[in-house]
Amino acid sequence: MGPTTGRIQRNPLREAPADRVNTKVIQPAPPPEPENPPRPAGDLSRASLAKVADAAVTAWNDEALERRRLRRLSTVTILEHLARFPGTTWQQRWVAAGLDEYGTNPGDLGGEDKKLRKLFISGTRHLFCLRVIRPSLDAFRGHTYPNYALDFRLVAKDPLLDKFHAAVEASDATPAARRTALFDVACALTVFGISLADLTPEVLLHYSLESRRKQLTRGATKRGQEYNYAAIAAWHILYESGHFPPSAPHVLRAALVGGQKSVEELVDRQQLRNTNVRNLLVDYLRRRAADLDHSSLRQLARVLPGTFWSNVEKVNPDQADLRLSEETYQQWKETISVLPGGRPRLDMDGVLLKVRTFYLDLQSWAVAEPERWAA
């Protein structure tokens, strides 16, 4: 056990009950394109290879000549690769090179050469911090960049970001929660192309939901379902430090459960074609709502109208009822086995269980109330 500091180490991941926090409704929203995007070393989007490499060396202000040499070399290495692809900006070349997709790792450009792989990764990291490249969330999470938040802050020279780092350090969060908070904020600022001043509760909620939807939440696969939402610790510290307004929910969970939507709203998000099935799903979810908390109801509403029936309609637009042919069923299973970003779905068993329970419930209820459920 390490030395104590007199502070009680508390993990913000273990949040206060929702009825003890401000539950003002906010809606997740990506940030608008900033009028003056952050450019810590100036606008390098169309700069020459040499100018970007110079900026990388200057931004970190390394005293050691070997570090300066490696920083320049790694930046040149990735830029020389990008220069082979069409585009008038480095961002356009990055996309044209196929590096903005899920599953891409800049290190793979180096093949089996470990030194070359490291150069590609380091150079990419420099371009992210300098805001030369704005990666998608999928691309950024395609590789782990250790201590990225610290490098990002060093280059950004943003007083608000400095204040946030100080707030994280002064918080009573566990070391792991602090690291995660710093990472989530740096990640959000990087992929959205914004400064901390533009990181509103609406934007961070959008980041959290997108990370969960794409199964890219940091540490989620290690910690299990309880921690599937990103930015839990970051939200708490941003609120406590005064970055978020007092009217914002005190914790992320309150933002997630705030503004409970009706069953009709939950179903109609999917814009289903088949009115009869849509009405049946509304009736079914209303019946189940009596036994579920709102979070569980929302999850069920994502699966049945969304993962299940909206994809059935994509596979077979003329599907008239719940009697699926074996061909339609198998095509549906194949369709949902892969997430929109290309990742394999990890919760297939959970989806199938909810769908089977849906059918079994209807069969059971039809016996007791045939006039309502037998059709």
Side-chain angles (χ1 to χ4, degrees):
M1 181 179 297
T4 60
T5 62
R7 294 185 298 187
I8 298 175
Q9 294 293 312
R10 180 177 58 79
N11 191 339
L13 298 176
R14 301 184 182 277
E15 298 174 355
D19 60 358
R20 291 177 56 192
V21 298
N22 185 338
T23 55
K24 178 189 175 183
V25 177
I26 65 170
Q27 297 297 329
E33 291 294 327
E35 293 184 7
N36 298 303
R39 292 166 175 161
D43 185 357
L44 299 173
S45 59
R46 292 178 170 82
S48 67
L49 185 152
K51 185 174 181 179
V52 178
D54 287 342
V57 173
T58 303
W60 273 267
N61 195 28
D62 292 315
E63 293 184 1
L65 291 178
E66 180 62 13
R67 288 186 180 180
R68 295 167 68 89
R69 185 189 71 81
L70 287 175
R71 205 174 295 282
R72 182 182 298 277
L73 177 61
S74 61
T75 305
V76 168
T77 299
I78 182 64
L79 289 177
E80 286 181 339
H81 177 79
L82 295 181
R84 302 173 188 172
F85 295 89
T88 59
T89 67
W90 293 111
Q91 178 71 27
Q92 291 170 351
R93 295 174 184 131
W94 166 267
V95 174
L99 293 172
D100 212 37
E101 304 297 326
Y102 174 77
T104 57
N105 179 352
D108 292 341
L109 299 174
E112 299 299 321
D113 188 326
K114 292 183 179 180
K115 291 184 178 179
L116 189 56
R117 290 178 66 89
K118 187 174 181 180
L119 288 175
F120 273 113
I121 292 170
S122 297
T124 301
R125 178 191 187 108
H126 300 158
L127 299 185
F128 291 168
C129 290
L130 289 167
R131 308 297 191 118
V132 178
I133 299 297
R134 174 182 164 185
S136 65
L137 180 60
D138 289 318
F140 185 78
R141 296 306 315 281
H143 177 74
T144 301
Y145 298 93
N147 298 317
Y148 176 81
L150 302 182
D151 266 359
F152 184 81
R153 173 201 178 188
L154 177 67
V155 175
K157 296 179 175 60
D158 179 352
L160 281 180
L161 189 57
D162 292 340
K163 179 182 176 183
F164 172 70
H165 275 246
V168 172
E169 179 62 28
S171 75
D172 53 5
T174 65
R178 289 184 219 162
R179 288 192 296 271
T180 299
L182 294 176
F183 169 83
D184 279 324
V185 167
C187 179
L189 300 187
T190 299
V191 303
F192 293 144
I194 59 176
S195 60
L196 191 62
D198 296 317
L199 187 62
T200 64
E202 291 79 7
V203 172
L204 192 59
L205 180 58
H206 172 74
Y207 165 79
S208 178
L209 293 172
E210 281 296 287
S211 295
R212 186 178 193 270
R213 182 177 69 83
K214 294 172 176 286
Q215 298 185 8
L216 294 174
T217 299
R218 175 183 168 110
T221 56
K222 297 179 181 179
R223 292 169 176 154
Q225 294 295 320
E226 184 180 356
Y227 304 119
N228 261 355
Y229 289 101
I232 293 175
W235 185 292
H236 179 81
I237 295 171
L238 286 166
Y239 181 90
E240 290 293 326
S241 65
H243 180 77
F244 284 171
S247 58
H250 184 72
V251 291
L252 178 65
R253 189 177 69 175
L256 293 167
V257 303
Q260 296 183 355
K261 296 186 179 299
S262 68
V263 168
E264 289 86 349
E265 289 175 313
L266 293 172
V267 172
D268 288 340
R269 283 177 171 178
Q270 305 302 328
Q271 299 180 327
L272 304 179
R273 297 188 186 94
N274 191 315
T275 303
N276 290 332
V277 174
R278 178 266 180 196
N279 294 339
L280 172 63
L281 288 167
V282 169
D283 289 342
Y284 176 80
L285 290 170
R286 276 209 196 103
R287 175 79 170 262
R288 291 294 310 275
D291 303 317
L292 300 173
D293 59 40
H294 192 68
S295 177
S296 299
L297 179 65
R298 288 172 61 181
Q299 183 180 23
L300 189 60
R302 282 195 298 270
V303 171
L304 295 181
T307 309
F308 174 50
W309 191 256
S310 69
N311 282 294
V312 167
E313 291 187 337
K314 291 175 184 176
V315 168
N316 182 9
D318 298 324
Q319 182 67 40
D321 53 35
L322 297 180
R323 298 177 181 88
L324 307 186
S325 68
E326 182 63 22
E327 180 182 6
T328 297
Y329 174 68
Q330 293 300 333
Q331 287 180 355
W332 168 75
K333 280 183 62 179
E334 182 177 353
T335 297
I336 70 163
S337 65
V338 179
L339 295 169
R343 290 169 58 86
R345 182 181 291 277
L346 302 180
D347 62 342
M348 276 292 291
D349 290 342
V351 171
L352 295 176
L353 179 61
K354 287 180 173 64
V355 173
R356 289 168 184 160
T357 300
F358 170 53
Y359 276 81
L360 290 173
D361 284 341
L362 293 179
Q363 291 175 0
S364 174
W365 298 348
V367 174
E369 301 177 78
E371 70 284 357
R372 183 176 181 185
W373 303 107

